[in-house]
C-alpha cells in the first residue's frame, strides 16, 4: 500500500487548514469546552457548516448530482481528520455528512432525498440517532420501541436513551420494532422531532451541556411515508451506516494532535525529562499511528470500490486504544490540563473517555473482530 499523499490531496488539506484558521474564533478551544451538542456550539456549527457549504467543503465526497464534488474516500478522510484535529467545529452535523446523507442517498425514496438532503448539504440540518434503549445498547436487536401501522400512519410507543443532540435536533433516525422477529422485525422511521407525542429529557454528561438525552414516544403518529427502506430492513441499513460512522470519525488525528500538544507543553515547562515520560509518549504515539494505519488500510479498500464490513471494527478498536492511552498520558503528566490550564487537552480528554462506549462499546468491536474477521468459533451456549 502507498500512503503518500498526492500533491492535490496535500493542497486540499492546506485549503482546509486555511479555512479553519480564518473561520474559527481566537478563543475557539475554550469555546469548544461547551461540548459538541451544546446550544452554543450547535449555533456556531450552523454558521460554520453554512460557510463550508458555500466553499463546497461540507459534502465534497457526495455525488455531483446532489451537490457534492464526487471526491474519493481519501478526500473524505483528509476532511474528517482536519475537522477532528480542530475539535470538530461541525458539531452534530458531522453525522449528517458522514452517514445520514450517504444512507439517505442509498436507501431513501425520491421524496425523502428531496426533503432531507438539501438542508444537510446546506449545513442547516441537525439529526439525532434513536437506536439505544434502556437494556438495549450492545444488544441492539432486543429493542422494544414499537411502531404499529394503523391505516396510513405508524403509531409509536417506547423509549430511547443516550440520544445525542436530541434536544436541538430537527429529525430523528429512529429504530422501531414492527414485528417480533429479532432482527428482521426492526424498521426505520424518519421522524420530525416536533411531532406531538415526543418528550426529550436531558441527561447530565461529562462531555458538556445538551449532550445526551432520554427520548419518550407516547402514541406518536407519523405518516407511513416516514418509513425508510422496507419494513424489517433496518438491520441491513444500519450495518451500512455504522461502517460510515466508524470510519468517518478519525479520532486518532485528534489524539495525535493532543499528544503532540502535551509533549510541547512538557518541553516548554522543562518537564520533558527522564525516560518514563518519553517511553509513555512514544507508546501513545505508536498507538495513534497504528490506528491511522488500520483506518487507511480500510480507506484503501473503499477507494478501490470494495464493500467494507466488520473490518471497520478493527480500525475503530485501534482508535479507542489510542485515545485512551493519550488521555491517560495527559492525566499522568499534565493533570492540570483537566482543570483549566489547557482547554485543547481537556476537550480531547472529555471526548476520549466516552469513545469506547458511544457508537458501540469497544468490547463489542472485539466480539465482531473475533467472529466476523478472525472467524473464531463461538463459545457453545
Ligand atoms: C456519549 C455517548 C453518546 C451516545 N449517543 C448515542 C446516540 O446518539 N444514539 C444512540 O442510540 N445511542 C447512543 N449512545 C449509546 C451507546 O451506543 C451505548 O451506550 C452503547 O451501545 C453501549 O450500550 P449500553 O450503554 O446499553 O451498555 P451495555 O450494552 O449494557 O454494556 C455495558 C458493558 O458491558 C459490555 N458488554 C455488553 N455486552 C457484551 C458482550 N456481548 N460481550 C462483551 N462485553 C459486553 C459492554 O462492552 C459495556 O462495557 C451514546 C453513548 C454515549 C456514552
Amino acid at each position: 500500500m502507498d500512503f503518500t499523499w498526492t500533491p492535490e490531496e496535500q493542497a486540499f488539506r492546506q485549503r482546509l487548514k486555511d479555512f479553519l484558521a480564518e473561520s474559527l474564533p481566537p478563543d475557539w478551544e475554550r469555546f469548544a469546552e461547551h461540548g459538541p451538542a451544546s446550544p452554543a456550539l450547535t449555533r456556531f456549527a450552523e454558521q460554520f457548516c453554512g460557510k463550508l457549504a458555500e466553499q463546497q467543503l461540507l459534502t465534497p465526497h457526495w455525488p455531483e448530482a446532489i451537490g457534492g464534488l464526487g471526491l474519493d474516500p481519501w478526500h473524505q478522510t483528509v476532511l474528517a481528520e482536519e475537522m477532528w484535529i480542530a475539535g470538530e467545529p461541525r458539531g452534530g452535523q458531522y453525522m449528517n455528512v458522514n452517514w445520514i446523507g450517504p444512507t439517505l442517498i442509498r436507501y431513501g425514496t425520491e421524496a425523502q432525498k428531496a426533503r432531507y438532503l438539501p438542508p444537510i448539504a446546506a449545513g442547516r440540518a441537525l439529526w439525532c440517532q434513536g437506536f439505544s434503549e434502556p437494556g438495549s445498547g450492545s444488544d441492539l436487536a432486543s429493542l422494544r420501541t414499537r411502531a404499529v401501522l394503523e391505516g396510513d400512519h405508524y403509531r409509536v410507543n417506547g423509549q430511547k436513551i443516550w440520544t445525542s443532540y436530541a434536544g436541538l435536533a430537527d429529525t430523528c433516525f429512529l429504530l422501531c420494532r414492527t414485528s417480533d422477529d429479532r432482527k428482521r422485525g426492526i424498521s426505520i422511521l424518519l421522524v420530525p422531532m416536533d411531532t406531538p407525542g415526543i418528550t426529550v429529557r436531558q441527561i447530565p454528561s461529562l462531555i458538556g451541556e445538551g449532550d445526551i438525552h432520554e427520548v419518550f414516544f407516547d402514541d406518536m403518529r407519523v405518516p407511513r411515508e416516514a418509513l425508510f427502506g422496507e419494513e424489517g430492513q433496518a438491520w441491513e441499513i444500519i450495518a451500512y451506516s455504522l461502517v460510515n460512522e466508524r470510519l468517518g470519525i478519525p479520532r486518532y488525528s485528534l489524539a495525535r494532535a493532543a499528544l503532540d500538544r502535551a509533549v510541547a507543553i512538557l518541553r516548554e515547562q522543562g518537564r520533558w525529562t527522564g525516560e518514563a515520560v518519553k517511553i509513555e509518549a512514544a507508546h501513545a504515539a505508536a498507538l495513534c499511528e497504528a490506528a491511522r494505519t488500520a483506518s487507511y488500510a480500510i480507506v484503501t479498500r473503499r477507494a478501490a470500490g470494495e464493500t467494507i464490513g466488520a473490518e471497520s471494527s478493527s480500525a475503530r478498536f485501534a482508535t479507542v486504544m489510542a485515545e485512551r492511552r493519550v488521555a491517560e498520558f495527559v492525566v499522568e503528566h499534565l493533570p492540570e490540563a483537566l482543570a483549566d490550564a489547557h482547554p485543547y487537552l481537556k476537550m480531547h480528554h472529555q471526548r476520549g473517555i466516552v469513545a469506547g462506549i458511544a457508537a458501540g462499546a469497544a468490547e463489542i468491536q472485539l466480539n465482531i473482530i473475533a467472529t466476523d474477521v478472525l472467524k473464531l468459533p463461538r463459545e457453545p451456549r
Side-chain angles (χ1 to χ4, degrees):
M1 273 176 241
D2 178 6
F3 285 142
T4 312
W5 298 106
T6 65
E8 194 277 319
E9 285 159 350
Q10 287 173 26
F12 183 64
R13 191 183 287 280
Q14 191 54 50
R15 191 175 155 214
L16 290 164
K17 284 188 189 298
D18 293 344
F19 179 88
L20 284 159
E22 276 164 27
S23 311
L24 296 182
D27 64 343
W28 161 249
E29 289 180 4
R30 197 157 288 284
F31 181 77
E33 280 182 43
H34 283 290
S38 61
L41 214 137
T42 302
R43 275 194 302 274
F44 174 83
E46 191 163 318
Q47 193 197 39
F48 178 82
C49 290
K51 282 198 219 164
L52 274 175
E54 279 166 20
Q55 301 285 321
Q56 291 193 297
L57 289 173
L58 187 63
T59 55
H61 54 292
W62 286 18
E64 289 177 63
I66 48 158
L69 295 174
L71 296 186
D72 66 16
W74 288 111
H75 288 81
Q76 187 181 354
T77 302
V78 171
L79 173 64
E81 284 184 352
E82 290 304 317
M83 293 298 146
W84 272 87
I85 291 170
E88 192 45 284
R90 295 173 301 180
Q93 291 201 38
Y94 86 87
M95 222 161 69
N96 302 354
V97 296
N98 276 356
W99 73 262
I100 295 200
T103 307
L104 280 162
I105 293 168
R106 178 148 173 176
Y107 292 99
T109 61
E110 289 311 313
Q112 287 167 339
K113 289 188 218 178
R115 175 172 178 179
Y116 293 117
L117 289 175
I120 292 181
R124 281 187 280 103
L126 187 62
W127 286 66
C128 62
Q129 169 186 328
F131 289 13
S132 307
E133 297 183 4
S136 302
S138 301
D139 185 15
L140 189 58
S142 68
L143 66 84
R144 284 166 298 168
T145 293
R146 191 164 275 275
V148 178
L149 187 59
E150 295 176 349
D152 57 0
H153 278 71
Y154 283 98
R155 183 186 295 274
V156 180
N157 281 288
Q159 185 199 339
K160 297 290 165 180
I161 194 166
W162 315 125
T163 321
S164 303
Y165 314 110
L168 296 171
D170 35 63
T171 317
C172 182
F173 193 96
L174 180 67
L175 296 195
C176 307
R177 182 157 293 291
T178 44
S179 86
D180 290 333
D181 189 293
R182 209 173 119 79
K183 288 186 179 167
R184 277 172 301 172
I186 304 177
S187 305
I188 298 166
L189 295 175
L190 305 182
V191 175
M193 287 297 284
D194 58 2
T195 308
I198 302 182
T199 308
V200 178
R201 254 194 240 148
Q202 201 180 129
I203 303 172
S205 162
L206 286 170
I207 310 182
E209 320 140 44
D211 187 52
I212 42 181
H213 308 80
E214 293 176 291
V215 185
F216 300 89
F217 300 90
D218 296 303
D219 278 335
M220 180 203 72
R221 292 173 82 241
V222 281
R224 68 184 301 169
E225 292 74 35
L227 180 70
F228 185 64
E230 306 285 323
E231 264 200 18
Q233 205 186 359
W235 210 254
E236 173 199 326
I237 297 176
I238 61 169
Y240 172 77
S241 307
L242 285 176
V243 169
N244 284 321
E245 168 83 335
R246 283 180 197 134
L247 287 174
I249 312 181
R251 290 167 175 271
Y252 56 79
S253 59
L254 173 60
R256 182 61 208 247
L259 178 66
D260 290 347
R261 181 82 66 96
V263 169
I265 295 168
L266 290 169
R267 279 183 196 275
E268 254 168 51
Q269 297 182 349
R271 292 155 72 187
W272 181 247
T273 53
E275 284 304 295
V277 65
K278 293 176 189 171
I279 291 170
E280 285 169 33
H283 195 168
L287 288 177
C288 293
E289 294 318 306
R292 182 192 307 278
T293 308
S295 298
Y296 286 4
I298 290 170
V299 178
T300 302
R301 292 185 44 203
R302 254 181 138 188
E306 291 179 39
T307 304
I308 307 300
E311 308 86 336
S312 66
S313 293
S314 319
R316 168 123 200 285
F317 187 77
T319 298
V320 169
M321 293 298 101
E323 286 188 283
R324 284 186 183 163
R325 185 51 65 98
V326 173
E328 283 162 12
F329 180 85
V330 170
V331 170
E332 182 67 26
H333 297 285
L334 270 169
E336 70 274 21
L338 304 189
D340 248 354
H342 307 297
Y344 189 75
L345 299 183
K346 185 172 170 188
M347 183 255 297
H348 167 263
H349 189 269
Q350 280 173 331
R351 299 184 186 185
I353 46 179
V354 298
I357 309 170
E363 293 78 7
I364 301 303
Q365 309 305 314
L366 285 181
N367 286 351
I368 295 171
I369 295 165
T371 53
D372 297 357
V373 180
L374 301 174
K375 310 283 181 206
L376 297 178
R378 285 178 187 273
E379 285 258 316
R381 284 179 190 254

